[in-house]
Amino acid sequence: MKNRMLPVFVILGATILVFASAFFVSAAGPAVYWHPANNGLATNDIEALAVAPISPTVLYAGTWGDGVFRSTDNGATWITATHGLTLPFYVNGALALAVSPVASGTVGLDQITVYAGDYYGGLPSRGVYRSQDGGQSWSLVLPGAGTRAIAVDPITPTIVYVGDRENGIYRSLNSGDTWNPANAGLGDTRVNALAAGGKRLYAGAYTYVFTSTTHGASWTLAHTFSSTVQAVAAHPFTPTLLFAGTRSNGLYRSTDGGQTWTQLENGLPSSVWVTSLSIAPGVAYAGAWNGQVYRSADLGDSWEGLGYLGNVYAVLAHPNVPDIVYAGTSNNGVFRGSALDHLTIDPIDSPQYVNRSFPITLTARDALSFPLAQDLSGFQNLTGLYADPALAETLAAGGYNGTAILTDTAGLVSPTVVSLANGVGTLSLVFGQPIANDVITATLQTEGLQAVGNPFEVRWYARIYLPAVMKTQ
């Protein structure tokens, strides 16, 4: 249970909205509230998502035809990042966009290296592009590659791998300046997925998973599946813990570096098309073409669906706050999924006097301080929302509904239950007598989380009345 202290001026008054809990069918983790994150995107077809580990407020979205977009505020707003790309630029594959995990000097866009691959290779103007200034400009570094996956070595980030949908794997030892084929032992060159974990490298090619412990210089067949391997991901701290998503047979897990596999079916359909994976310490996410993001809090033993979003093509856990997850869809843009984290209170713009009513507003927020209040303003120019009742139902549950209790340690204010509707609660409070500073708090308890707003100051001003003096003529 977390106990977070935050600035607070709180209370609410609003009818509690009771919504269906069908989207949160498991107690494996806190409830997730989905919000569109499309402000500035020119397309609703998002096929890859990536984050800058050295500066995790910076996100990248790869699109089908419109190149790359960048956000510097955790996905609140996006701008085009296509200068130097040959348009149309088709990103296809959740791993066709990658960011180097290191930078030199002060972290800013100029220190972030990004790689983006075009699905349509074979032409001199197409292939893998590199940006060394965070996406402000791009240059072609691997012409002709029909890219499905890019991986940067987490230990030696000058080593970069590209998975070509027909021609296997290319490797660069100098951050993309030069490339060479790296197919020795690779039994199939139709590469869809790459995952680099520690000293191990994994490749999903057609129905096979191959492994390399030589930085791609040689490959060994690890396993053959009955369906095309679409996604591969290794645990960041245990690289022998591996997940593989398939096109028609769901998700598999290996605990021995790919030698043996177990299908994961507890809460996850066995025939689902798993398009993408994101593994963080303590939590795993799987994106599926059936419209759901699935979450596991026990390394894959059990899963829960987090609500229908559309055709999920990319899923991305925030590197610092794994309770926050992003989903890119091929038909409805980007969504941010958040868990309740804390409360904030709007400032009161005038001093507090006794026997005077003051409005107080409390807002439920996630760990990045985004409000858990549904706002569809970033969705208005995208198609599909209102024609998709299942998506509309998921988004209708995007605002937090619960209660907070206002109390003070001196007992001068009776404990007051305030209702939050759509993430916000308001009420007017009358202070009948002076109250000392630092005694009033608002406490929100839900889903095993206790979020406490900081005590707020009640300022009392005495009014002094002077006797009137009448002058007589």
Side-chain angles (χ1 to χ4, degrees):
M1 179 177 292
K2 284 190 284 185
N3 187 340
R4 257 197 219 219
M5 302 299 292
L6 295 150
V8 127
F9 266 118
V10 191
I11 329 248
L12 323 300
T15 304
I16 300 175
L17 300 181
V18 179
F19 56 87
S21 60
F23 299 126
F24 317 117
V25 297
S26 170
V32 169
Y33 303 92
W34 289 104
H35 298 82
N38 296 313
N39 189 5
L41 290 176
T43 176
N44 58 354
D45 195 345
I46 310 300
E47 309 227 350
L49 293 170
V51 63
I54 56 174
S55 184
T57 61
V58 180
L59 303 175
Y60 297 90
T63 73
W64 182 253
D66 292 293
V68 178
F69 288 76
R70 181 182 66 237
S71 172
T72 57
D73 52 13
N74 292 301
T77 58
W78 300 86
I79 61 171
T80 56
T82 58
H83 180 67
L85 293 178
T86 298
L87 296 175
F89 190 91
Y90 297 93
V91 178
N92 178 259
L95 300 172
L97 198 59
V99 185
S100 176
V102 299
S104 59
T106 302
V107 175
L109 287 179
D110 290 344
Q111 285 74 44
I112 298 175
T113 299
V114 193
Y115 302 89
D118 193 322
Y119 178 78
Y120 290 110
L123 296 175
S125 62
R126 296 192 177 277
V128 174
Y129 283 74
R130 179 183 65 190
S131 173
Q132 295 178 294
D133 56 12
Q136 298 175 91
S137 63
W138 298 85
S139 59
L140 182 64
V141 292
L142 180 57
T147 309
R148 286 281 295 166
I150 303 173
V152 180
D153 190 283
I155 297 177
T156 310
T158 54
I159 304 178
V160 186
Y161 308 92
V162 167
D164 187 295
R165 62 191 177 96
E166 293 181 349
N167 298 315
I169 296 171
Y170 297 92
R171 181 182 66 172
S172 173
L173 302 179
N174 50 19
S175 301
D177 289 340
T178 59
W179 299 83
N180 289 291
N183 293 329
L186 195 68
D188 195 294
T189 57
R190 292 168 289 180
V191 177
N192 288 317
L194 291 171
K199 296 181 179 180
R200 290 177 174 266
L201 179 65
Y202 302 98
Y206 189 44
T207 59
Y208 311 102
V209 168
F210 296 88
T211 182
S212 174
T213 56
T214 60
H215 296 292
S218 60
W219 294 89
T220 301
L221 176 63
H223 193 74
T224 302
F225 292 90
S226 58
S227 178
T228 302
V229 177
Q230 295 288 128
V232 177
H235 191 277
F237 299 147
T238 309
T240 54
L241 177 58
L242 184 65
F243 296 84
T246 69
R247 188 179 181 92
S248 59
N249 284 337
L251 183 63
Y252 292 79
R253 178 182 62 191
S254 173
T255 59
D256 55 10
Q259 299 306 305
T260 59
W261 294 83
T262 301
Q263 189 173 22
L264 305 176
E265 300 180 85
N266 186 5
L268 204 158
S270 60
S271 61
V272 71
W273 176 3
V274 177
T275 59
S276 51
L277 295 163
S278 186
I279 313 299
V283 64
Y285 296 97
W289 194 251
N290 69 359
Q292 292 245 25
V293 171
Y294 294 88
R295 176 180 61 186
S296 173
D298 52 16
L299 298 178
D301 288 341
S302 61
W303 296 82
E304 55 180 334
L306 301 180
Y308 176 85
L309 300 172
N311 300 132
V312 177
Y313 215 106
V315 64
L316 175 68
H318 191 283
N320 292 351
V321 190
D323 276 349
I324 292 179
V325 59
Y326 297 87
T329 70
S330 71
N331 52 349
N332 293 320
V334 177
F335 297 91
R336 183 186 62 256
S338 300
L340 174 66
D341 185 79
H342 65 267
L343 307 174
T344 59
I345 300 178
D346 291 352
I348 292 180
D349 58 5
S350 60
Q352 306 253 354
Y353 294 93
V354 296
N355 297 320
R356 176 179 169 183
S357 175
F358 284 91
I360 299 177
T361 300
L362 174 67
T363 303
R365 299 182 183 271
D366 66 19
L368 296 179
S369 286
F370 286 108
L372 296 183
Q374 190 56 275
D375 178 9
L376 301 182
S377 60
F379 217 82
Q380 300 309 312
N381 295 326
L382 300 180
T383 60
L385 170 62
Y386 300 108
D388 192 336
L391 175 59
E393 189 175 2
T394 296
L395 296 181
Y400 172 77
N401 300 276
T403 58
I405 300 176
L406 183 75
T407 58
D408 74 289
T409 55
L412 300 177
V413 175
S414 299
T416 304
V417 176
V418 183
S419 298
L420 288 85
N422 193 28
V424 178
T426 59
L427 68 75
S428 294
L429 187 66
V430 176
F431 300 106
Q433 54 186 302
I435 301 177
N437 294 349
D438 300 327
V439 294
I440 297 180
T441 62
T443 302
L444 179 65
Q445 290 182 305
T446 183
E447 299 144 12
L449 169 70
Q450 183 181 43
V452 180
N454 279 349
F456 65 85
E457 178 180 332
V458 178
R459 300 165 57 191
W460 177 64
Y461 288 75
R463 293 186 177 184
I464 301 174
Y465 296 91
L466 299 177
V469 178
M470 301 287 294
K471 287 186 178 182
T472 56
Q473 299 293 335

